[in-house]
Amino acid sequence: MNKFYLTLLLMAIATYLIRVLPITLIRKEIKNKYIRSFLYYVPYVTLSVMTFPAIITATQSWISGALALVTAIIVAWKKSNLFITAAASCFVVFIVELFI
């Protein structure tokens, strides 16, 4: 069997098992507060892990991406809405890219 097809098959099996095993093994509601809190944060962590590398590598230099990330964190921390946060980050990237 071709190495590509073997890799594809193994990835499909791993993805299928990750989705099917919780449905088949866990029949009743999870009562443990530690497991529930862990499962509550999984989507946020996954989104962060997927987004962070894209933020750093989407610009011409990693410095402008890092500064935009810091700007976004500060603006979002101040309870600003998503549009203002994104606009501030884009503005920082624009200004930093002019001088680098």
Side-chain angles (χ1 to χ4, degrees):
M1 184 183 284
N2 192 353
K3 187 176 180 180
F4 172 76
Y5 291 116
L6 179 63
T7 305
L8 187 65
L9 177 67
L10 291 175
M11 288 172 40
I13 290 171
T15 303
Y16 183 75
L17 287 176
I18 289 171
R19 293 170 190 240
V20 169
L21 282 178
I23 295 171
T24 58
L25 296 179
I26 303 171
R27 297 283 180 171
K28 51 188 172 174
E29 184 180 353
I30 298 171
K31 304 249 189 235
N32 189 327
K33 67 178 182 178
Y34 298 111
I35 294 175
R36 287 178 63 91
S37 67
F38 171 77
L39 292 175
Y40 176 79
Y41 289 110
V42 166
Y44 301 110
V45 170
T46 305
L47 182 63
S48 301
V49 167
M50 291 177 2
T51 306
F52 181 74
I55 291 171
I56 301 299
T57 60
T59 59
Q60 293 290 328
S61 74
W62 66 271
I63 296 169
S64 60
L67 288 175
L69 176 64
V70 170
T71 302
I73 291 170
I74 291 170
V75 172
W77 193 271
K78 298 292 183 182
K79 304 287 188 203
S80 187
N81 64 18
L82 183 59
F83 177 76
I84 294 173
T85 304
S89 297
C90 291
F91 181 73
V92 166
V93 169
F94 179 72
I95 296 300
V96 172
E97 291 289 328
L98 282 177
F99 295 111
I100 290 183

